[in-house]
Amino acid sequence: IALAPGLADGYTARGWMRSNFTWDWAGAQSDLERALAIDPSNSTVQRRYGQLLASQGRMADAIAAIRRSAALDPLSAPPWSNLGYYLVAAGQWGEARLALNRALAINPESSYAQVNLATLELLQGHADTALAMFRESDGTFRPYGIALAEHSLGHARESQQALDALIADYAQDSAFQIADVYAWRGEKDKAFQWLDRAYAQHDGGLS
C-alpha cells in the first residue's frame, strides 16, 4: 500500500487478512471500500467485499457482490464457488448447484467447490453421494466430510473414526470444522467447546 497507494490490490489483500484472521471488521470494511472506490470493476475486489458482507450477516448483499464478481470474470472458478456457498446458506439450493457445477466445469480440481457441492448433497439427504465426494477430497475436508456423511448414514463408529482423525491431524488449525461435526451430530456442548477453541485460535472458518 505504501508503494502503490493508488492500486486496489494492497487494500484488497489487507482487507481480506483483517476480515478473515485478525477480525478487524472496521479496518477490513475501510480497506475493501477503498479498493472498490479505486477499481469497482475488479472481480477479486468484489468477491472479497462479498465475503466480508457474509461475515457480517448481510447475506443478500454478499450474494449480490459475488454475482458482480462472477459477471466481471465469468471464467474464474472462485466467484462461482463462493456464490454457490452463499446460495446454499440462503437456502437457494437449485441455483447453488448450478453455480458450484459451473465452478467445477471451469476448474475440476477446485476442492472448495467440490466440498461445497458435497455439503449440498448432504443437506438434500443424499448422504451416500456426499460420502463418495468427500472421500475424493483432501486435507481437512476429507475426514471432516466423512464424519458428517457417516453420521447421516447412521454409521456412528465410522463417523467417530473420521472425527478422531480430524482432531488428531488438524486440531491446531481446523477447530471450526471439528465444532461443525459435533453440531451436525447434535453434540452441542462439545460443539461450543470447539467453537471456543476456534475463537481463541482466530480460526478463519469462524469468521
Side-chain angles (χ1 to χ4, degrees):
I1 290 171
L3 289 169
L7 289 179
D9 304 61
Y11 300 103
T12 304
R14 189 172 67 180
W16 167 243
M17 293 178 71
R18 283 174 162 173
S19 170
N20 210 44
F21 300 112
T22 65
W23 300 346
D24 174 8
W25 310 111
Q29 185 151 347
S30 176
D31 276 339
L32 290 168
E33 287 179 350
R34 180 72 178 273
L36 281 172
I38 294 170
D39 191 1
S41 63
N42 185 307
S43 174
T44 301
V45 174
Q46 291 285 355
R47 186 165 65 89
R48 294 303 191 201
Y49 187 57
Q51 290 170 315
L52 172 65
L53 293 171
S55 293
Q56 295 174 335
R58 299 168 58 186
M59 196 57 67
D61 292 335
I63 289 171
I66 301 296
R67 287 190 196 279
R68 289 192 293 272
S69 175
L72 288 165
D73 192 1
L75 296 182
S76 174
W80 294 107
S81 187
N82 285 141
L83 180 59
Y85 179 69
Y86 296 135
L87 288 169
V88 169
Q92 300 177 42
W93 291 352
E95 191 177 357
R97 183 178 294 277
L98 292 174
L100 293 169
N101 282 328
R102 179 76 175 267
L104 287 168
I106 295 168
N107 179 13
E109 303 301 317
S110 173
S111 59
Y112 185 59
Q114 183 179 17
V115 165
N116 288 334
L117 187 57
T119 301
L120 178 57
E121 296 287 0
L122 194 61
L123 289 168
Q124 293 187 305
H126 310 144
D128 281 323
T129 301
L131 179 59
M133 295 177 69
F134 281 126
R135 282 179 171 157
E136 295 298 317
S137 301
D138 52 19
T140 304
F141 290 118
R142 188 175 190 278
Y144 160 76
I146 291 173
L148 296 175
E150 292 284 21
H151 172 76
S152 293
L153 290 166
H155 303 158
R157 181 174 62 87
E158 290 83 353
S159 177
Q160 189 60 48
Q161 286 175 341
L163 178 56
D164 289 344
L166 179 63
I167 293 171
D169 294 337
Y170 299 104
Q172 297 307 310
D173 57 10
S174 297
F176 174 75
Q177 280 75 24
I178 295 167
D180 209 19
V181 173
Y182 278 121
W184 184 253
R185 300 192 333 184
E187 299 174 62
K188 298 176 184 178
D189 289 341
K190 290 182 178 178
F192 277 108
Q193 289 171 11
W194 281 94
L195 285 172
D196 284 340
R197 286 188 62 164
Y199 183 84
Q201 294 171 5
H202 271 217
D203 188 323
L206 191 58
S207 64

